[in-house]
Amino acid sequence: MGVIRNFIYILSFALILITLQACKKDKIGFQEDNRIQQEVINTSKLRVINLIDMNQVIVNNRDSLTNFIQDDGSGQNYLKRTRYFSLNGRLGKTWNIPQAILNSTKATDIRLEANGPQLSIGKVSFQVKETDTRAKDYYVWTSEKFVEPDYPQSRVLEIPRDETGPQRAGYFKIRIINLAAKIKSSGQGTTPDTEDLLDQYTLSYANGDAIHQRTSQIAQGKWSEYVEIPYGTYQFRVLTSDQRQLPYGQNPPVAETTAAVDPATSSITERFQKGQYISFAPIKNYMPGGVYTIVISPRSLNHYMDEGGSFIPNFQNAFEIIEDIAPPANITLAHLQAVNALPGSSDISLRIAGQIINQIAYGKASPYQMFTKGSYKLEALDANQKVLATTDVLLDANDNVSAWVNQNAQGQTQISVAHNNLTGYWYVPGGQDNAVYNQITQLFPFNARFFNFCPEEPYLTFAQRTGEKIGAGGGAEQQYYTEPAAFQNLQPGQVINRYPYVNMGGAITAPFNIYAFQSKPNSVPGNWLPDLKNISGQDFIANKDLYTVRGNLPTHERGYYSVALIGSYKATSPAHKPKIIIIKHNQ
């Protein structure tokens, strides 16, 4: 009997194990793979760069790799995915060619077409081939319908691509490719008054300074070497030989400018008006380890056809940023600069981790220095290396910090640490629980934060001459939220960290001025300080020659700025009396 009972126990235990194992297998079946691209596709070292809105791909004259479905307006069939185009079944800006479509000689024939409501841009056929271990790009850059036929480069240009990152830590690599051509003066996609921008081109910083000799005066159909630049926030410009700015290869962001491009000046315009002399060029964070190409080619840009605000396309030579190597996440490096706002001082220095940022003139900012994340002691030094003030700062990866050396209300030297936001992200308060939809991204920002570094002004407010608050009004005021504390009743040395920025954008055509007021907590804006020279939007322009070459100045220049009242009424030197200064944080 005991034997039978033991057998029953063993049998029951075995059945339980089998049941549990079966349940375990069943649970695996409920797992889902939600990745858009589930298949692992090995890519070659070849890449197609599509600059003219082609969207369909055929290889070897027979195999269609895209969906060839025209949108019927429902938005459903347009997104039919294919094996090699798993996002929406269509060719985008860049395409890494799979190894599977190359033949035994590591080559294949490709034909690109456009299927949809685009302007008629025809078809283009070319062969791609791997010849060695070096990566190559095939730039499909123009439609012959919109350019004169005397360009020196082929319609599909094979250009080597660098797959090695920068040699120096904290740097990125960049180059320039000139695929410009002479735009036809008449026909679909052109207007008779289109500005002629065909030239040699130079890659420059926002102030017009060339970034390197090797990326300057690049001729038509040629490309430069890569150069290494410290990571940071840049607004690169592409300039002709006479310093005219090229527009960017996509239309200005409507949410930020409500604008199009004037063909005669290649600058932003509003509502069928003349161009306002400010060209759209995105402000972007270029991260350590990234590799980038800036390419110039004929592009379709919107311009106004009537006063009602209707757009039509117009071709013009414009530049675009192509990512050759995506940068890894920056988990180590931060930026810090020093600003001398100390009245009565000559050149001062800032010491951090044994490194000295030297000879910062009064009212000026030092270049940014790179540091690894961590806690640091900051020391402000006079010309004799005497310590004037100290403070501690915690730097995290990707931080951008300005250390303002100034004087507090008691006349003592202090260091005010400001963490700058150069990301382009702007938080919009609202009712979302997790804030996923409570932020917007700016490509063309005009953002400023404000400081009071005058020890004799206990409360300072920045406002327009009439006392109206500064910043964009109307709908933009709701979209780019700023708390009044960012520019009202600022105390000496105070750093506002909650919603510290003011969106100064608004209309491209609207001029503005900023005045300083002596205010009180219960009286805003207070009394205007007439002895202080106000600043205008045009005071934000670093190099006016970049604009007067076309005949006039814009109302302002986009970028990230700090605006501060510095100086002391007790200073003996007129240069150290109170005045408003502007520090620009992007290059």
Side-chain angles (χ1 to χ4, degrees):
M1 189 70 178
V3 174
I4 296 175
R5 185 182 296 112
N6 290 338
F7 176 76
I8 293 174
Y9 287 158
I10 294 171
L11 181 61
S12 300
F13 183 69
L15 289 173
I16 291 172
L17 289 178
I18 294 171
T19 303
L20 290 175
Q21 186 67 23
C23 292
K24 184 178 180 181
K25 290 181 179 179
D26 289 340
K27 288 181 180 179
I28 292 176
F30 285 105
Q31 293 181 354
E32 295 183 5
D33 189 345
N34 293 315
R35 294 174 299 167
I36 293 177
Q37 178 67 57
Q38 298 178 7
E39 180 184 0
V40 177
I41 295 178
N42 295 321
T43 58
S44 67
K45 290 184 175 293
L46 309 179
R47 188 172 64 159
V48 171
I49 309 296
N50 172 30
L51 299 178
I52 57 171
D53 297 328
M54 295 288 189
N55 54 33
Q56 306 298 330
V57 180
I58 295 175
V59 297
N60 298 322
N61 294 317
R62 66 177 188 275
D63 297 325
S64 173
L65 304 187
T66 48
N67 59 29
F68 271 86
I69 299 175
Q70 187 165 338
D71 187 10
D72 63 1
S74 67
Q76 300 299 317
N77 62 347
Y78 184 72
L79 298 177
K80 183 179 179 181
R81 300 166 182 167
T82 63
R83 179 185 182 189
Y84 295 118
F85 296 91
S86 57
L87 181 62
N88 60 11
R90 293 189 162 211
L91 175 67
K93 180 71 62 181
T94 62
W95 177 43
N96 292 292
I97 298 175
Q99 288 182 346
I101 71 170
L102 302 180
N103 59 27
S104 59
T105 64
K106 295 186 177 182
T108 194
D109 294 319
I110 292 178
R111 184 170 82 243
L112 304 184
E113 300 181 5
N115 184 19
Q118 300 98 320
L119 290 170
S120 176
I121 54 178
K123 305 175 182 179
V124 60
S125 299
F126 54 99
Q127 185 184 74
V128 300
K129 182 178 178 62
E130 275 191 330
T131 54
D132 50 34
T133 59
R134 190 170 187 183
K136 293 185 292 186
D137 287 336
Y138 292 84
Y139 277 82
V140 184
W141 61 272
T142 190
S143 169
E144 295 176 341
K145 184 172 183 178
F146 309 108
V147 299
E148 299 291 351
D150 56 349
Y151 48 83
Q153 66 269 24
S154 61
R155 190 177 171 191
V156 179
L157 193 63
E158 179 185 290
I159 299 177
R161 179 179 79 251
D162 196 339
E163 286 194 313
T164 61
Q167 294 182 352
R168 289 176 284 183
Y171 281 66
F172 66 94
K173 295 167 72 170
I174 195 166
R175 67 172 174 178
I176 180 173
I177 299 176
N178 182 354
L179 300 181
K182 186 171 181 59
I183 307 298
K184 288 184 177 180
S185 59
S186 62
Q188 186 184 23
T190 59
T191 61
D193 61 344
T194 297
E195 182 181 28
D196 185 4
L197 292 176
L198 178 60
D199 201 350
Q200 298 179 340
Y201 300 121
T202 294
L203 186 60
S204 82
Y205 297 110
N207 65 359
D209 290 344
I211 68 168
H212 200 281
Q213 184 178 1
R214 292 204 297 264
T215 54
S216 300
Q217 296 297 304
I218 305 303
Q220 184 184 14
K222 303 296 182 181
W223 55 91
S224 74
E225 303 174 45
Y226 289 92
V227 297
E228 294 190 5
I229 299 175
Y231 91 94
T233 305
Y234 294 90
Q235 184 185 34
F236 289 124
R237 304 188 194 276
V238 176
L239 305 179
T240 62
S241 299
D242 61 359
Q243 299 290 289
R244 286 177 297 159
Q245 302 175 51
L246 266 66
Y248 191 62
Q250 69 182 51
N251 293 294
V254 174
E256 298 176 48
T257 64
T258 61
V261 176
D262 171 35
T265 62
S266 304
S267 62
I268 294 174
T269 184
E270 292 183 339
R271 292 294 180 184
F272 206 55
Q273 299 174 2
K274 186 179 180 181
Q276 299 302 310
Y277 304 100
I278 181 170
S279 296
F280 170 46
I283 301 175
K284 175 180 171 63
N285 289 303
Y286 294 83
M287 304 307 293
V291 180
Y292 305 89
T293 290
I294 288 185
V295 57
I296 301 98
S297 66
R299 304 304 302 273
S300 176
L301 302 175
N302 286 339
H303 81 96
Y304 287 112
M305 64 178 296
D306 54 43
E307 294 183 1
S310 299
F311 291 134
I312 59 173
N314 182 69
F315 270 73
Q316 178 56 283
N317 289 305
F319 74 96
E320 188 165 1
I321 304 163
I322 303 295
E323 196 174 79
D324 292 340
I325 296 180
N330 176 21
I331 59 175
T332 305
L333 297 174
H335 272 143
L336 183 140
Q337 68 174 172
V339 189
N340 183 356
L342 184 63
S345 68
S346 56
D347 292 347
I348 64 170
S349 303
L350 190 74
R351 183 162 58 203
I352 172 173
Q355 181 176 338
I356 295 181
I357 304 175
N358 274 324
Q359 297 180 335
I360 309 159
Y362 177 69
K364 301 296 182 181
S366 73
Y368 281 105
Q369 304 290 328
M370 275 185 278
F371 297 92
T372 56
K373 66 179 182 179
S375 297
Y376 293 92
K377 180 180 180 181
L378 301 182
E379 296 177 301
L381 311 175
D382 66 11
N384 298 316
Q385 301 297 292
K386 177 185 175 182
V387 177
L388 302 174
T390 65
T391 193
D392 295 322
V393 63
L394 177 64
L395 296 180
D396 204 352
N398 294 304
D399 274 354
N400 183 290
V401 172
S402 296
W404 295 78
V405 182
N406 63 95
Q407 198 174 79
N408 63 18
Q410 291 73 42
Q412 300 168 329
T413 302
Q414 65 180 2
I415 304 174
S416 299
V417 176
H419 286 73
N420 305 309
N421 178 7
L422 311 186
T423 64
Y425 289 104
W426 194 287
Y427 175 70
V428 183
Q432 300 296 331
D433 291 338
N434 60 4
V436 170
Y437 301 105
N438 288 42
Q439 61 182 0
I440 56 177
T441 303
Q442 296 173 290
L443 299 175
F444 200 43
F446 183 22
N447 299 336
R449 65 189 306 182
F450 293 83
F451 299 93
N452 174 14
F453 294 121
C454 178
E456 293 88 29
E457 292 292 352
Y459 296 100
L460 185 76
T461 291
F462 290 93
Q464 299 183 53
R465 178 66 184 91
T466 58
E468 294 180 87
K469 63 182 180 180
I470 54 179
E477 182 178 3
Q478 302 299 321
Q479 188 175 26
Y480 302 101
Y481 178 77
T482 301
E483 289 196 346
F487 53 89
Q488 293 179 356
N489 286 319
L490 298 170
Q491 300 176 49
Q494 182 184 18
V495 177
I496 301 296
N497 291 312
R498 178 179 170 84
Y499 304 120
Y501 283 90
V502 178
N503 174 41
M504 306 297 296
I508 294 292
T509 56
F512 65 90
N513 291 274
I514 299 174
Y515 293 79
F517 291 77
Q518 191 177 61
S519 58
K520 296 179 180 179
N522 59 352
S523 178
V524 173
N527 297 320
W528 172 45
L529 296 169
D531 293 336
L532 294 180
K533 182 181 181 299
N534 67 287
I535 59 173
S536 72
Q538 292 182 341
D539 289 324
F540 289 84
I541 300 174
N543 180 0
K544 294 180 172 58
D545 291 341
L546 287 177
Y547 303 96
T548 55
V549 67
R550 282 191 170 108
N552 210 338
L553 290 176
T555 59
H556 63 275
E557 183 172 86
R558 296 288 168 121
Y560 295 100
Y561 299 92
S562 290
V563 178
L565 176 66
I566 66 171
S568 170
Y569 294 107
K570 299 177 182 178
T572 57
S573 169
H576 289 244
K577 295 291 186 181
K579 64 180 179 180
I580 301 174
I581 65 169
I582 299 171
I583 301 296
K584 188 171 186 176
H585 295 286
N586 64 277
Q587 290 183 268

